[in-house]
Amino acid sequence: MAIDTSVKLVNDMDHPWMPLRPGDLRGPCPGLNTLASHGYLPRNGIATPTQILNAVQDAFGMDPDRAQLLAYSTMLVDGNVITDLMSIGGKSCLTGPDPPKPATVAGLSTHAVFEGDASLTCQDFFFGDNHSFNPELFDQFVDFSNRFGDGFYNVTVAGELRFQRIQQGIATNPQFSLVTPRFTTVYGEAAFPLVFFVDGRKADGRLSMQDALGFFRDSRMPDDFHRTDESKSGGLVNTFIPQIFGAHPTQPGRNYGSVNTFTVDPNSAGLDADCSLYEHFVNDIVVPLYPNPQGVLKDNLNANLGFFFGPFKQGNCTRIFPYGQ
Ligand code: HEM
Ligand code: MG
């Protein structure tokens, strides 16, 4: 049966928003937080990659390749591949017994494996809390939307605000880092609200401040919210990303221990989710966490590495087998 990708009501009777219960975990991704608070993901914030894949497509119309790349890259660095569970927030014993260190299995809030600096509504890790909604940063989000988007977050605002957050990091965070994969994800994440947080019946790339506050602060969809059309969402995101980048082209790099020491890193992958990004993620991020896996751990790492490779295969990348074939 063909998968239904159409615009449809997703804030429905079966998925009511509910406030957090003691112990429920939320993290740095407003998309996944919202899915958990509407019951598209387990409300406690502990999920399998399959649940995440299904939920982001069903409730937000995210294109399957992007969903697969996100779900399995994060599973490999932040999840427990033995129990197949990941926290969408901080570390939790609910993901089961940890594999041997240096693996961390510490959830999506873990800094510098996937989560990174220059988020639009969360502070940099250096300042303490890298995962909670930050009201001052949201004030800046509103201010930029008023100045550049007539009160809406649109692609022009995204270009200006994306650059502003990078400049703020360079000027205030001695540890500021914008290298692979963060250099790529910052642009995608600035585009996501334009596509996935805008009602699919409208799909005009203009997000109201009221709706933005609902998603970013309260993990809540607007009443009567309809998801966007999955067959169009991937193309839209791919159109917005170069526009956001093109407003103020930047290069990957980092500060070196003091502010305003930003130095370009020529070894970092560029804007596209290309083969060098794939290779870097496997060799320099996954393998150091799992230098010598054995048995089930090795088998499950290989399986997850295979799922992570899926979207890159279509880009004609060559698969890497760090643990043998
Ligand atoms: C940010 C994971 C899907 C919207 C993030 C971050 C993580 C993450 C770890 C934090 C990065 C950072 O800002 O430092 C994931 C995973 C997904 C997923 C594993 C699985 C498919 C989605 C979806 C949406 C979304 C479907 C939209 C509906 C966002 C936005 C940000 C973000 C807007 C940036 C927040 C900010 O800059 O303040 N995501 N995400 N994500 N995510 Fe997701
Ligand atoms: Mg961040």
Side-chain angles (χ1 to χ4, degrees):
M1 198 178 70
I3 295 169
D4 175 19
T5 66
S6 63
V7 175
K8 70 167 184 185
L9 177 72
V10 287
N11 190 1
D12 60 13
M13 303 265 281
D14 292 339
H15 301 94
W17 180 85
M18 285 187 199
L20 295 181
R21 306 159 305 187
D24 285 351
L25 291 166
R26 297 294 180 268
C29 177
L32 298 184
N33 291 346
T34 300
L35 294 173
S37 289
H38 280 271
Y40 280 97
L41 287 175
R43 291 182 188 266
N44 66 1
I46 307 292
T48 70
T50 309
Q51 286 172 328
I52 291 176
L53 264 179
N54 290 337
V56 298
Q57 291 180 82
D58 189 24
F60 279 126
M62 181 177 259
D63 41 314
D65 278 355
R66 196 176 318 268
Q68 192 172 338
L69 197 155
L70 288 170
Y72 288 100
S73 57
T74 50
M75 184 65 196
L76 281 160
V77 294
D78 293 332
N80 185 328
V81 295
I82 296 185
T83 58
D84 204 33
L85 292 169
M86 181 168 74
S87 157
I88 67 166
K91 191 163 179 70
S92 166
C93 57
L94 296 178
T95 55
D98 282 348
K101 286 188 183 351
T104 55
V105 188
L108 281 189
S109 303
T110 312
H111 180 59
V113 278
F114 191 98
E115 188 285 327
D117 292 335
S119 302
L120 302 181
T121 64
C122 296
Q123 281 291 8
D124 288 0
F125 179 75
F126 176 79
F127 300 109
D129 181 343
N130 66 342
H131 55 273
S132 307
F133 173 81
N134 182 287
E136 287 77 35
L137 287 177
F138 191 76
D139 286 348
Q140 177 171 255
F141 185 100
V142 173
D143 178 44
F144 270 61
S145 300
N146 286 333
R147 280 162 56 196
F148 299 101
D150 289 334
F152 289 83
Y153 181 78
N154 65 13
V155 68
T156 312
V157 178
E160 297 304 320
L161 186 60
R162 169 39 58 241
F163 186 61
Q164 163 79 353
R165 290 292 296 130
I166 293 172
Q167 297 305 107
Q168 280 175 330
I170 293 173
T172 61
N173 173 358
Q175 315 283 345
F176 182 74
S177 176
L178 191 71
V179 296
T180 335
R182 187 62 185 149
F183 184 72
T184 308
T185 59
V186 287
Y187 292 100
E189 288 165 14
F192 287 177
L194 304 169
V195 178
F196 302 115
F197 291 164
V198 174
D199 194 295
R201 291 167 297 182
K202 216 159 56 85
D204 61 355
R206 294 171 84 231
L207 176 64
S208 76
M209 293 303 100
Q210 192 188 345
D211 291 356
L213 189 62
F215 284 111
F216 281 103
R217 185 189 65 187
D218 304 331
S219 309
R220 187 170 193 161
M221 298 175 179
D223 290 345
D224 196 40
F225 184 71
H226 286 53
R227 72 169 185 194
T228 201
D229 182 339
E230 185 182 307
S231 67
K232 300 191 184 131
S233 68
L236 263 182
V237 172
N238 291 341
T239 313
F240 283 136
I241 288 175
Q243 290 180 35
I244 296 169
F245 176 81
H248 298 277
T250 46
Q251 288 188 281
R254 59 165 70 91
N255 275 348
Y256 282 85
S258 45
V259 300
N260 294 317
T261 52
F262 190 82
T263 309
V264 171
D265 177 355
N267 297 319
S268 184
L271 186 60
D272 299 325
D274 61 7
C275 304
S276 68
L277 187 139
Y278 162 71
E279 286 159 21
H280 170 81
F281 196 81
V282 175
N283 289 332
D284 302 330
I285 303 193
V286 177
V287 172
L289 291 171
Y290 295 98
N292 187 24
Q294 304 293 327
V296 155
L297 178 59
K298 180 169 119 175
D299 294 344
N300 290 8
L301 281 168
N302 274 336
N304 280 281
L305 283 166
F307 294 129
F308 171 57
F309 178 64
F312 292 98
K313 192 175 178 178
Q314 283 139 45
N316 284 326
C317 302
T318 307
R319 184 163 171 196
I320 314 171
F321 294 93
Y323 309 122
Q325 259 173 283

